[in-house]
Amino acid sequence: MTYLVTENCIKCKHTDCVDVCPVDCFHEGPNFMVIDPDECIDCAVCVPECPVNAIVADDDLVGEERKVWFDLNARLAKKWPVLTSKKPAPADAEEWDGKPNKINLLEE
């Protein structure tokens, strides 16, 4: 099992989770973050830190949804740099919390 960052992080990108990760498995892109599934130790300490509930156990996703988010986290973790400390959230993060269909807004 691993944890994955999902759609609600897009354009919200709170980084509270980064400070508690013991293995530095978060990677930062322009408007989204991912967890490297190969580095995640399944400790779950990041889950309650996410104010928009965007981090989930991969077991909690099923079928195509699991594949999409697992593959996206794995692929972008190889491309984006590791983030090891908390940064301020975007000024408009609250406006994006809970908005559906943000996948098309993901900047790689």
Side-chain angles (χ1 to χ4, degrees):
M1 185 177 84
T2 187
Y3 285 83
L4 303 171
V5 181
T6 59
E7 186 170 35
N8 207 37
C9 182
I10 298 171
K11 296 188 81 64
C12 288
K13 200 171 106 173
H14 292 275
T15 58
D16 305 60
C17 51
V18 173
D19 275 344
V20 298
C21 181
V23 293
D24 298 333
C25 66
F26 284 92
H27 294 254
E28 179 186 27
N31 68 348
F32 185 57
M33 293 188 332
V34 295
I35 292 173
D36 184 339
D38 292 332
E39 295 294 323
C40 178
I41 60 170
D42 312 329
C43 67
V45 297
C46 59
V47 176
E49 298 301 316
C50 180
V52 297
N53 300 312
I55 302 172
V56 300
D58 69 335
D59 294 15
D60 292 343
L61 302 174
V62 294
E64 187 62 24
E65 183 181 30
R66 182 191 180 282
K67 180 176 176 14
V68 165
W69 292 109
F70 185 92
D71 291 352
L72 188 70
N73 275 254
R75 180 172 59 82
L76 294 177
K78 290 178 181 13
K79 179 178 180 179
W80 290 345
V82 172
L83 181 64
T84 58
S85 59
K86 183 178 175 178
K87 292 182 172 182
D92 62 348
E94 286 187 29
E95 296 172 36
W96 289 100
D97 182 15
K99 290 202 175 180
N101 306 314
K102 294 193 290 184
I103 189 74
N104 295 329
L105 302 175
L106 176 64
E107 298 173 30
E108 291 192 39

